[in-house]
Structure formats: C-alpha cells, structure tokens
Amino acid sequence: MKKSAADSQGPRQAAAAEPGRRPPVRSGLRLAATLAFAGFVVSVVAGLFHADSASANDHPATFLEYTRSGIWTAVHLGQFAGMALLIAGLLVLLAVLKAPDGAGAWAARFGAAAAVAALALYGALQAVDGVALKHAVDAWAAAAEPAKAARFATAEGIRWLEWGMRSYQSLVLGAALILTGAVVVAARRVSRVIGYLMALSGLAYLGQGWIVGAEGFSAANTIPTLAGIVLILVWSLWLLISAWFGKDAPERGGRTHSQALS
C-alpha cells in the first residue's frame, strides 16, 4: 500500500501543524542570550583598557592622558563591537518572543526601532570619541605654544559634541531596554523578572543620558552608570542560563508543551 504525501511527512511536521502549537523558540532564545551576554563581556573588557584615571571633566588632565594612550582607537572599536552584539541580542529576543497583539506588539516594534537607533548613535559617538577626539588632543599636545590655546579649544568642542552624542545615545538605549523589558513581561516566554531587570537597566541609562547632557561626565553619573552595568550583567546572565539550561514552562492557558522557559 502506498503512503499518502501527508503520511510521508513524519510526526514532526504533523505535530507542527497542530492548531495552537507554537514553533520552537529555545534556539532563538539561546542566540539572543548569547549575543547579549557576549556584548556585555566585550564592552566591559574593552572598557578596562580605557584611559580614565583623571577626572573626565578636568579637560587638560584628561586630554593629556588620552595622548599617552596608544590603543585609544582600538578600545573604542571594541566598545562598539560590544554594543553591536548587545543590540543584536535585543533584536533577536524581540523577534523570538512574538509579543501578543495590541500594546505588546507595538512595544516590540518601537523597541526594535529604538535599538537600531541606539546602535547608530553609538557608532557616531565612537567615531567622535575614538577617532576625532584622539586626533584633536594629539594635535594640541604637539602644537607650539602660540597655537596651543586654539588646539585646546578645538579638542574641547569635540568633547562637548561627545557629551551630546552620549546623552542622546543613552536616552535611546534606555528606551529600547524599557520597551524590550515590557515585551519580555507581556510575552511570558522567559521569566518576567528578567523583563523587570531589563527595564530597570533602561531607567539607569535614562538617568545617565540626562546627567551627561546637563553636567558632562560628572561624579553624579557614578551611581546610574554602576547600576546600568550591574543590572545588565544580572539580566543577561539570567537569560543566558535560562536559555541554555532552563526547563520548559507551561504556556498561558495551561498547555504543558510550551517552549517557554522558566
């Protein structure tokens, strides 16, 4: 007896065709979690090589320190790579979670747009800080005394441009994290606590953006900066462990075959 075409497709395709059955998401969550955590690690490691022993708002001392850094541009390229990985993780997570219709779906769309905008702003920021500012401070340090004042004014102008770029990038990144956190909570495919922590990290970045815009790299930004770092570490590590080692959790509605992760 010949098998029908439907019989030959096998149990996997038949199961996938069951009404209401969601496609597997664990592989997508693993990719998102790995990208996000890798982005955090790369950013932190690159930041360890950043010259910052002088007070950032003490421009003469800071600029002199920058001139002594032979890896300045490489450090900022590493920081950009870290941010790109983190943003990629957020975008994959938003695609995998499949937020419910309504407010959740709109939050996912706006979150993805904010994440892309944050990466574009960060690229411009690192070009200003990692390339333009380095050339400006090197020219100031090498200039003859009559030209030093003009060279310093140029470098300081670039520094103020960096403040503006950093302020807006932090604000947009904060919005992306808050919106992505809201999607995580609404979708219930991973622990909602991860979404809450993600939103809190977004609030920390909003605080950073406001302070940098108003005061530059002042000591007032220490607490929001540390809070953002710690919160991203916690939620990205939690997401990584859940994606790779967590057990499947029941869906809303009581089905136990869900791919949701506890």
PDB file of all heavy atoms in Angstrom, residues 5 31 36 50 54 74-75 79 81 102 115 120 136 143 160 165 177 185 187 189 202 214 227 229 242 248 255:
ATOM      1  N   ALA A   5       1.006  11.489   0.816  1.00  0.00           N
ATOM      2  CA  ALA A   5       2.007  12.538   0.998  1.00  0.00           C
ATOM      3  C   ALA A   5       2.020  13.023   2.438  1.00  0.00           C
ATOM      4  O   ALA A   5       3.068  13.329   3.003  1.00  0.00           O
ATOM      5  CB  ALA A   5       1.715  13.709   0.047  1.00  0.00           C
ATOM      6  N   LEU A  31      20.376  32.054  21.037  1.00  0.00           N
ATOM      7  CA  LEU A  31      21.131  33.010  20.228  1.00  0.00           C
ATOM      8  C   LEU A  31      21.042  34.408  20.829  1.00  0.00           C
ATOM      9  O   LEU A  31      22.057  35.110  20.971  1.00  0.00           O
ATOM     10  CB  LEU A  31      20.603  33.014  18.794  1.00  0.00           C
ATOM     11  CG  LEU A  31      21.237  34.041  17.847  1.00  0.00           C
ATOM     12  CD1 LEU A  31      22.739  33.811  17.722  1.00  0.00           C
ATOM     13  CD2 LEU A  31      20.565  33.993  16.475  1.00  0.00           C
ATOM     14  N   ALA A  36      23.630  38.880  23.678  1.00  0.00           N
ATOM     15  CA  ALA A  36      23.527  39.936  24.682  1.00  0.00           C
ATOM     16  C   ALA A  36      24.632  39.815  25.728  1.00  0.00           C
ATOM     17  O   ALA A  36      25.285  40.804  26.079  1.00  0.00           O
ATOM     18  CB  ALA A  36      22.153  39.892  25.352  1.00  0.00           C
ATOM     19  N   HIS A  50      40.434  51.439  28.828  1.00  0.00           N
ATOM     20  CA  HIS A  50      40.160  52.848  28.570  1.00  0.00           C
ATOM     21  C   HIS A  50      40.937  53.710  29.557  1.00  0.00           C
ATOM     22  O   HIS A  50      40.895  53.475  30.767  1.00  0.00           O
ATOM     23  CB  HIS A  50      38.667  53.112  28.700  1.00  0.00           C
ATOM     24  CG  HIS A  50      38.227  54.433  28.159  1.00  0.00           C
ATOM     25  ND1 HIS A  50      38.517  55.636  28.787  1.00  0.00           N
ATOM     26  CD2 HIS A  50      37.508  54.753  27.048  1.00  0.00           C
ATOM     27  CE1 HIS A  50      37.990  56.622  28.096  1.00  0.00           C
ATOM     28  NE2 HIS A  50      37.371  56.128  27.030  1.00  0.00           N
ATOM     29  N   ALA A  54      42.271  60.185  35.267  1.00  0.00           N
ATOM     30  CA  ALA A  54      41.991  61.590  35.579  1.00  0.00           C
ATOM     31  C   ALA A  54      40.489  61.838  35.585  1.00  0.00           C
ATOM     32  O   ALA A  54      39.709  61.081  35.006  1.00  0.00           O
ATOM     33  CB  ALA A  54      42.665  62.500  34.558  1.00  0.00           C
ATOM     34  N   ALA A  74      41.495  51.510  19.170  1.00  0.00           N
ATOM     35  CA  ALA A  74      41.154  50.094  19.273  1.00  0.00           C
ATOM     36  C   ALA A  74      40.180  49.840  20.419  1.00  0.00           C
ATOM     37  O   ALA A  74      39.248  49.024  20.302  1.00  0.00           O
ATOM     38  CB  ALA A  74      42.418  49.259  19.458  1.00  0.00           C
ATOM     39  N   VAL A  75      40.372  50.520  21.542  1.00  0.00           N
ATOM     40  CA  VAL A  75      39.467  50.366  22.686  1.00  0.00           C
ATOM     41  C   VAL A  75      38.052  50.763  22.301  1.00  0.00           C
ATOM     42  O   VAL A  75      37.077  50.059  22.617  1.00  0.00           O
ATOM     43  CB  VAL A  75      39.964  51.210  23.880  1.00  0.00           C
ATOM     44  CG1 VAL A  75      38.875  51.334  24.942  1.00  0.00           C
ATOM     45  CG2 VAL A  75      41.217  50.591  24.487  1.00  0.00           C
ATOM     46  N   GLN A  79      34.542  48.651  22.126  1.00  0.00           N
ATOM     47  CA  GLN A  79      33.294  49.042  22.773  1.00  0.00           C
ATOM     48  C   GLN A  79      32.134  49.076  21.777  1.00  0.00           C
ATOM     49  O   GLN A  79      31.016  48.672  22.115  1.00  0.00           O
ATOM     50  CB  GLN A  79      33.462  50.415  23.427  1.00  0.00           C
ATOM     51  CG  GLN A  79      34.359  50.393  24.653  1.00  0.00           C
ATOM     52  CD  GLN A  79      34.540  51.765  25.281  1.00  0.00           C
ATOM     53  OE1 GLN A  79      34.645  52.775  24.576  1.00  0.00           O
ATOM     54  NE2 GLN A  79      34.570  51.816  26.589  1.00  0.00           N
ATOM     55  N   ALA A  81      31.922  47.161  19.115  1.00  0.00           N
ATOM     56  CA  ALA A  81      31.603  45.756  18.844  1.00  0.00           C
ATOM     57  C   ALA A  81      30.731  45.181  19.957  1.00  0.00           C
ATOM     58  O   ALA A  81      29.770  44.439  19.707  1.00  0.00           O
ATOM     59  CB  ALA A  81      32.888  44.943  18.697  1.00  0.00           C
ATOM     60  N   GLY A 102      -1.655  44.026  20.058  1.00  0.00           N
ATOM     61  CA  GLY A 102      -2.004  45.169  20.880  1.00  0.00           C
ATOM     62  C   GLY A 102      -0.771  45.909  21.352  1.00  0.00           C
ATOM     63  O   GLY A 102       0.188  46.107  20.601  1.00  0.00           O
ATOM     64  N   ALA A 115      16.321  50.298  19.391  1.00  0.00           N
ATOM     65  CA  ALA A 115      17.585  49.569  19.465  1.00  0.00           C
ATOM     66  C   ALA A 115      18.472  49.872  18.263  1.00  0.00           C
ATOM     67  O   ALA A 115      19.690  50.093  18.406  1.00  0.00           O
ATOM     68  CB  ALA A 115      17.310  48.056  19.554  1.00  0.00           C
ATOM     69  N   ALA A 120      23.122  53.079  15.937  1.00  0.00           N
ATOM     70  CA  ALA A 120      23.600  54.114  15.009  1.00  0.00           C
ATOM     71  C   ALA A 120      24.210  55.287  15.769  1.00  0.00           C
ATOM     72  O   ALA A 120      25.287  55.792  15.400  1.00  0.00           O
ATOM     73  CB  ALA A 120      22.446  54.592  14.126  1.00  0.00           C
ATOM     74  N   ALA A 136      42.450  65.310  17.828  1.00  0.00           N
ATOM     75  CA  ALA A 136      42.442  66.689  18.329  1.00  0.00           C
ATOM     76  C   ALA A 136      43.376  66.860  19.528  1.00  0.00           C
ATOM     77  O   ALA A 136      44.122  67.844  19.603  1.00  0.00           O
ATOM     78  CB  ALA A 136      41.017  67.093  18.706  1.00  0.00           C
ATOM     79  N   ALA A 143      51.343  70.846  19.465  1.00  0.00           N
ATOM     80  CA  ALA A 143      51.364  72.211  18.930  1.00  0.00           C
ATOM     81  C   ALA A 143      52.373  73.074  19.668  1.00  0.00           C
ATOM     82  O   ALA A 143      52.666  72.886  20.849  1.00  0.00           O
ATOM     83  CB  ALA A 143      49.975  72.827  19.033  1.00  0.00           C
ATOM     84  N   TRP A 160      32.564  68.382  23.888  1.00  0.00           N
ATOM     85  CA  TRP A 160      31.174  68.771  24.118  1.00  0.00           C
ATOM     86  C   TRP A 160      30.246  68.077  23.124  1.00  0.00           C
ATOM     87  O   TRP A 160      29.111  67.717  23.471  1.00  0.00           O
ATOM     88  CB  TRP A 160      31.041  70.285  24.027  1.00  0.00           C
ATOM     89  CG  TRP A 160      31.723  70.994  25.163  1.00  0.00           C
ATOM     90  CD1 TRP A 160      31.941  70.509  26.416  1.00  0.00           C
ATOM     91  CD2 TRP A 160      32.289  72.308  25.126  1.00  0.00           C
ATOM     92  NE1 TRP A 160      32.607  71.443  27.176  1.00  0.00           N
ATOM     93  CE2 TRP A 160      32.831  72.567  26.421  1.00  0.00           C
ATOM     94  CE3 TRP A 160      32.393  73.297  24.150  1.00  0.00           C
ATOM     95  CZ2 TRP A 160      33.464  73.766  26.746  1.00  0.00           C
ATOM     96  CZ3 TRP A 160      33.019  74.500  24.477  1.00  0.00           C
ATOM     97  CH2 TRP A 160      33.544  74.724  25.767  1.00  0.00           C
ATOM     98  N   MET A 165      26.305  63.482  21.992  1.00  0.00           N
ATOM     99  CA  MET A 165      26.086  62.153  21.407  1.00  0.00           C
ATOM    100  C   MET A 165      25.835  61.112  22.494  1.00  0.00           C
ATOM    101  O   MET A 165      24.938  60.278  22.385  1.00  0.00           O
ATOM    102  CB  MET A 165      27.297  61.744  20.576  1.00  0.00           C
ATOM    103  CG  MET A 165      27.573  62.616  19.363  1.00  0.00           C
ATOM    104  SD  MET A 165      26.254  62.549  18.123  1.00  0.00           S
ATOM    105  CE  MET A 165      26.234  60.809  17.742  1.00  0.00           C
ATOM    106  N   LEU A 177      15.720  49.380  26.074  1.00  0.00           N
ATOM    107  CA  LEU A 177      15.738  48.378  27.139  1.00  0.00           C
ATOM    108  C   LEU A 177      14.402  48.328  27.873  1.00  0.00           C
ATOM    109  O   LEU A 177      13.910  47.241  28.226  1.00  0.00           O
ATOM    110  CB  LEU A 177      16.870  48.692  28.113  1.00  0.00           C
ATOM    111  CG  LEU A 177      18.289  48.440  27.583  1.00  0.00           C
ATOM    112  CD1 LEU A 177      19.328  49.073  28.504  1.00  0.00           C
ATOM    113  CD2 LEU A 177      18.557  46.949  27.435  1.00  0.00           C
ATOM    114  N   VAL A 185       8.001  40.791  29.684  1.00  0.00           N
ATOM    115  CA  VAL A 185       6.966  40.594  30.700  1.00  0.00           C
ATOM    116  C   VAL A 185       5.649  40.178  30.057  1.00  0.00           C
ATOM    117  O   VAL A 185       4.969  39.262  30.529  1.00  0.00           O
ATOM    118  CB  VAL A 185       6.780  41.877  31.530  1.00  0.00           C
ATOM    119  CG1 VAL A 185       5.582  41.749  32.463  1.00  0.00           C
ATOM    120  CG2 VAL A 185       8.043  42.172  32.339  1.00  0.00           C
ATOM    121  N   ALA A 187       5.100  38.798  27.014  1.00  0.00           N
ATOM    122  CA  ALA A 187       5.130  37.547  26.261  1.00  0.00           C
ATOM    123  C   ALA A 187       5.159  36.321  27.163  1.00  0.00           C
ATOM    124  O   ALA A 187       4.659  35.253  26.797  1.00  0.00           O
ATOM    125  CB  ALA A 187       6.347  37.533  25.331  1.00  0.00           C
ATOM    126  N   ARG A 189       7.480  34.275  27.893  1.00  0.00           N
ATOM    127  CA  ARG A 189       8.209  33.122  27.367  1.00  0.00           C
ATOM    128  C   ARG A 189       9.494  32.868  28.147  1.00  0.00           C
ATOM    129  O   ARG A 189      10.093  31.806  28.040  1.00  0.00           O
ATOM    130  CB  ARG A 189       8.539  33.334  25.884  1.00  0.00           C
ATOM    131  CG  ARG A 189       7.366  33.701  25.003  1.00  0.00           C
ATOM    132  CD  ARG A 189       6.286  32.636  24.983  1.00  0.00           C
ATOM    133  NE  ARG A 189       6.697  31.423  24.332  1.00  0.00           N
ATOM    134  CZ  ARG A 189       6.632  31.218  23.014  1.00  0.00           C
ATOM    135  NH1 ARG A 189       6.209  32.178  22.213  1.00  0.00           N
ATOM    136  NH2 ARG A 189       6.996  30.063  22.500  1.00  0.00           N
ATOM    137  N   GLY A 202      17.224  50.030  31.766  1.00  0.00           N
ATOM    138  CA  GLY A 202      16.855  51.120  30.871  1.00  0.00           C
ATOM    139  C   GLY A 202      16.669  52.430  31.616  1.00  0.00           C
ATOM    140  O   GLY A 202      17.091  53.492  31.140  1.00  0.00           O
ATOM    141  N   ALA A 214      23.400  67.377  30.983  1.00  0.00           N
ATOM    142  CA  ALA A 214      23.369  68.563  31.831  1.00  0.00           C
ATOM    143  C   ALA A 214      24.722  68.912  32.432  1.00  0.00           C
ATOM    144  O   ALA A 214      25.056  70.094  32.575  1.00  0.00           O
ATOM    145  CB  ALA A 214      22.358  68.355  32.968  1.00  0.00           C
ATOM    146  N   ALA A 227      24.800  51.175  38.273  1.00  0.00           N
ATOM    147  CA  ALA A 227      23.519  50.468  38.275  1.00  0.00           C
ATOM    148  C   ALA A 227      23.246  49.840  36.917  1.00  0.00           C
ATOM    149  O   ALA A 227      22.800  48.680  36.827  1.00  0.00           O
ATOM    150  CB  ALA A 227      22.393  51.428  38.657  1.00  0.00           C
ATOM    151  N   ILE A 229      25.440  48.893  34.639  1.00  0.00           N
ATOM    152  CA  ILE A 229      26.364  47.775  34.417  1.00  0.00           C
ATOM    153  C   ILE A 229      25.911  46.535  35.176  1.00  0.00           C
ATOM    154  O   ILE A 229      25.834  45.424  34.632  1.00  0.00           O
ATOM    155  CB  ILE A 229      27.792  48.172  34.824  1.00  0.00           C
ATOM    156  CG1 ILE A 229      28.338  49.243  33.871  1.00  0.00           C
ATOM    157  CG2 ILE A 229      28.710  46.948  34.827  1.00  0.00           C
ATOM    158  CD1 ILE A 229      29.664  49.830  34.323  1.00  0.00           C
ATOM    159  N   SER A 242      18.940  30.627  31.631  1.00  0.00           N
ATOM    160  CA  SER A 242      17.597  30.126  31.341  1.00  0.00           C
ATOM    161  C   SER A 242      17.499  29.541  29.938  1.00  0.00           C
ATOM    162  O   SER A 242      16.880  28.499  29.724  1.00  0.00           O
ATOM    163  CB  SER A 242      16.574  31.264  31.501  1.00  0.00           C
ATOM    164  OG  SER A 242      16.507  31.706  32.822  1.00  0.00           O
ATOM    165  N   ASP A 248      11.367  23.830  30.295  1.00  0.00           N
ATOM    166  CA  ASP A 248      10.185  24.399  29.665  1.00  0.00           C
ATOM    167  C   ASP A 248       9.132  24.683  30.722  1.00  0.00           C
ATOM    168  O   ASP A 248       8.923  23.895  31.646  1.00  0.00           O
ATOM    169  CB  ASP A 248       9.609  23.441  28.622  1.00  0.00           C
ATOM    170  CG  ASP A 248      10.517  23.301  27.417  1.00  0.00           C
ATOM    171  OD1 ASP A 248      11.414  24.145  27.275  1.00  0.00           O
ATOM    172  OD2 ASP A 248      10.331  22.348  26.644  1.00  0.00           O
ATOM    173  N   ARG A 255      -1.262  24.856  28.779  1.00  0.00           N
ATOM    174  CA  ARG A 255      -0.619  23.815  27.992  1.00  0.00           C
ATOM    175  C   ARG A 255       0.776  23.549  28.535  1.00  0.00           C
ATOM    176  O   ARG A 255       1.506  24.463  28.863  1.00  0.00           O
ATOM    177  CB  ARG A 255      -0.520  24.235  26.519  1.00  0.00           C
ATOM    178  CG  ARG A 255      -1.865  24.293  25.808  1.00  0.00           C
ATOM    179  CD  ARG A 255      -1.636  24.511  24.311  1.00  0.00           C
ATOM    180  NE  ARG A 255      -2.889  24.569  23.581  1.00  0.00           N
ATOM    181  CZ  ARG A 255      -3.582  25.661  23.352  1.00  0.00           C
ATOM    182  NH1 ARG A 255      -3.142  26.816  23.828  1.00  0.00           N
ATOM    183  NH2 ARG A 255      -4.703  25.622  22.681  1.00  0.00           N
TER     184      ARG A 255
END
